[in-house]
């Protein structure tokens, strides 16, 4: 059984990645319902928490039905990160995660996110300060290194474990890769199989199918996988992986009606948490993925992104369910070699399995 501190996660947990502007409570609600074992908030600026910025504080919202749930923070300085850890602890999450993986320029230029991969001693000191500041289990999400010449994840894993982190998630790309190309799982496997490493190691990157999740476990021995883009508009990915691991068989793909019903549930959570205007507006980014694979959907989608009331959006979704009631969305064919690497034509569409 995989454990982080006193949190028991099962034999091969499936984690929902923290994704900015995606992994909010409404999205996490539908992912939890569809089988996610551990979820994280969007990443939160340590400086924003200290300044009491409204946007940062709002990201601290967690709910009992989400548990276990972790709050993720980022920053480049010890004192603000330690203070932020204490603020996070007061909200009573199950764990605290540090983001050392975000490749976005505005984060990196502050020496935060994956920017800290240029300065491993600073990363270690910052992590130690956070661990010391909180009683929560502290975990880390990071990348293989800054670039191909500095893939130092094996050293990073040992040193972060030595200062007290209790789990490590590794995205199989460098910062310079951003999200391009394929994730390289070889070094993730080396970290997991390092005899010095005793904390759980989770792999992240290009997990879009049940076959790929099984390959991650069997080829590289990771304790679980973190899923990001593949869950956007397709939270069924979690239960599909679990079912395939247990039975060797695929679950039937969700019908159009099922997709619409979950999309509506997501929308309703969004409105409840954010209010009508913002909830409807920010939900628009999800419709394309929920409706992916439906032919001639452009006109309906245009209606969805112009509706201004909850009732109007639900009416359009109901019309979609009725119009496509007999349509079956084909599941992406499994990779014949069971590789973790998606086929070339899947790379750009790795955000949806289905």
């Amino acid at each position: 059984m995989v454990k982080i501190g006193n949190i028991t996660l099962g034999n091969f947990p499936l984690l929902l990645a923290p994704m900015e502007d995606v992994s909010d409570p409404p999205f996490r609600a539908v992912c939890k319902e569809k089988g996610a074992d551990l979820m994280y908030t969007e990443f939160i600026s340590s400086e924003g928490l200290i300044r009491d910025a409204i946007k940062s504080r709002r990201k601290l919202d967690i709910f009992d039905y989400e548990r276990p749930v972790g709050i993720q923070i980022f920053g480049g300085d010890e004192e603000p990160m330690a203070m932020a850890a204490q603020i996070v602890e007061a909200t009573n999450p199950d764990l605290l995660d540090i983001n050392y993986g975000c490749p976005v320029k505005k984060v990196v230029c502050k020496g935060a996110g994956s920017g800290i991969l240029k300065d491993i001693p600073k990363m270690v000191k910052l992590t130690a300060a956070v661990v010391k500041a909180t009683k929560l289990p502290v975990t880390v999400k990071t990348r293989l290194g800054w670039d191909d010449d500095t893939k130092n994840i094996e050293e990073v894993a040992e040193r972060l474990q030595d200062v007290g982190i209790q789990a490590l998630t590794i995205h199989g790309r460098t910062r310079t890769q951003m999200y391009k190309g394929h994730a390289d799982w070889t070094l993730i496997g080396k970290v997991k199989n390092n005899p010095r490493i005793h904390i759980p190691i989770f792999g992240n990157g290009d997990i879009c199918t049940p076959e790929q999740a099984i390959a991650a476990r069997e080829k590289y021995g990771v304790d679980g996988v973190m899923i990001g883009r593949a869950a956007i508009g397709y939270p069924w990915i979690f239960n599909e992986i679990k079912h395939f691991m247990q039975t060797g068989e695929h679950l039937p793909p969700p019908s159009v009606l099922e997709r619409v019903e979950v999309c509506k549930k997501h929308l309703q959570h969004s409105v409840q948490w954010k209010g009508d205007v913002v909830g409807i507006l920010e939900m628009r980014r999800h419709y394309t993925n929920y409706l992916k694979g439906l032919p001639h959907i452009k006109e309906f989608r245009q209606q969805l992104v112009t509706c201004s009331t909850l009732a109007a959006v639900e009416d359009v979704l109901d019309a979609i369910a009725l119009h496509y009631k007999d349509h079956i969305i084909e599941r992406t064919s499994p990779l014949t070699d069971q590789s973790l690497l998606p086929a070339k034509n899947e790379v750009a569409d790795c955000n949806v399995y289905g």
Side-chain angles (χ1 to χ4, degrees):
M1 298 291 281
V2 177
K3 296 186 70 174
I4 301 175
N6 293 323
I7 307 166
T8 300
L9 297 174
N11 290 323
F12 191 79
L14 306 178
L15 286 59
L16 174 65
M19 294 177 283
E20 179 69 357
D21 295 326
V22 176
S23 300
D24 57 14
F27 179 69
R28 298 198 305 265
V30 295
C31 288
K32 183 67 175 182
E33 181 181 300
K34 298 301 179 184
D37 294 306
L38 173 62
M39 305 186 294
Y40 295 86
T41 63
E42 302 169 80
F43 73 166
I44 305 173
S45 164
S46 57
E47 298 281 356
L49 282 181
I50 293 169
R51 293 196 310 270
D52 204 27
I54 294 174
K55 184 176 181 180
S56 295
R57 288 281 179 162
R58 189 161 178 76
K59 290 180 180 179
L60 291 173
D61 286 357
I62 56 175
F63 301 90
D64 284 340
Y65 62 77
E66 300 182 78
R67 297 188 184 276
V69 61
I71 291 176
Q72 189 187 72
I73 61 174
F74 74 95
D77 297 302
E78 290 179 44
E79 185 175 355
M81 284 289 279
M83 292 174 66
Q86 294 171 344
I87 294 170
V88 166
E89 183 177 314
T91 67
N92 195 33
D94 297 285
L95 58 86
L96 183 153
D97 190 72
I98 305 174
N99 182 309
Y100 292 143
C102 178
V104 177
K105 185 176 180 180
K106 67 179 181 180
V107 173
V108 169
C109 70
K110 298 178 181 178
S114 59
I116 206 167
L117 289 168
K118 289 183 172 182
D119 190 345
I120 302 308
K122 181 180 178 181
M123 177 195 281
V124 174
K125 288 177 64 178
L126 197 155
T127 306
V130 172
V131 170
K132 185 177 179 180
T134 180
K135 296 177 182 177
L136 293 170
V138 175
T139 63
V140 163
K141 184 173 189 282
T142 189
R143 290 180 170 236
L144 300 179
W146 177 259
D147 56 25
D148 284 342
D149 296 324
T150 57
K151 291 183 178 179
N152 44 22
I153 188 61
E154 293 179 85
E155 174 193 354
V156 166
E158 290 187 1
R159 295 184 68 177
L160 296 187
Q161 177 182 265
D162 289 346
V163 296
I165 71 165
Q166 298 193 40
L168 176 66
T169 299
I170 306 168
H171 181 92
R173 290 181 173 86
T174 62
R175 189 273 167 177
T176 55
Q177 280 184 270
M178 302 293 284
Y179 295 99
K180 297 177 182 178
H182 295 312
D184 177 7
W185 282 70
T186 306
L187 283 176
I188 301 176
K190 286 185 177 180
V191 172
K192 173 56 193 173
N193 293 291
N194 180 343
R196 273 209 61 204
I197 297 296
H198 56 77
I199 59 174
I201 301 296
F202 303 114
N204 173 232
D206 296 346
I207 299 293
C208 304
T209 69
E211 288 85 356
Q212 290 168 321
I214 287 178
R217 181 182 64 182
E218 294 182 352
K219 287 185 178 182
Y220 303 108
V222 292
D223 295 291
V225 293
M226 178 177 280
I227 298 169
R229 289 174 290 169
I232 301 175
Y234 202 81
W236 296 269
I237 183 67
F238 298 102
N239 278 337
E240 288 189 353
I241 290 173
K242 290 180 176 180
H243 183 81
F244 192 81
M245 285 184 165
Q246 292 169 1
T247 68
E249 298 177 353
H250 285 285
L251 282 171
S255 66
V256 176
L257 178 58
E258 288 177 285
R259 286 174 179 257
V260 166
E261 288 304 311
V262 171
C263 183
K264 287 169 67 175
K265 188 174 293 187
H266 188 168
L267 170 66
Q268 290 158 4
H269 279 294
S270 184
V271 168
Q272 289 167 7
W273 187 60
K274 301 174 184 178
D276 286 359
V277 175
V278 177
I280 290 170
L281 182 65
E282 295 192 354
M283 187 63 192
R284 290 175 180 174
R285 64 172 66 104
H286 293 279
Y287 296 133
T288 296
N289 288 319
Y290 273 115
L291 304 174
K292 185 177 178 66
L294 292 176
H296 313 298
I297 192 66
K298 184 177 179 180
E299 183 179 341
F300 282 116
R301 194 168 61 233
Q302 185 62 30
Q303 293 177 44
L304 287 171
V305 300
T306 54
C307 291
S308 58
T309 67
L310 176 61
V313 177
E314 291 181 329
D315 284 346
V316 176
L317 289 170
D318 288 339
I320 290 171
L322 180 62
H323 184 81
Y324 292 97
K325 66 181 188 311
D326 297 322
H327 184 85
I328 298 175
I329 300 177
E330 296 291 333
R331 175 186 279 111
T332 302
S333 298
L335 302 179
T336 55
D337 64 355
Q338 305 295 294
S339 169
L340 284 179
L341 300 180
K344 289 182 180 179
N345 65 345
E346 291 182 304
V347 174
D349 291 334
C350 196
N351 58 326
V352 177
Y353 166 54

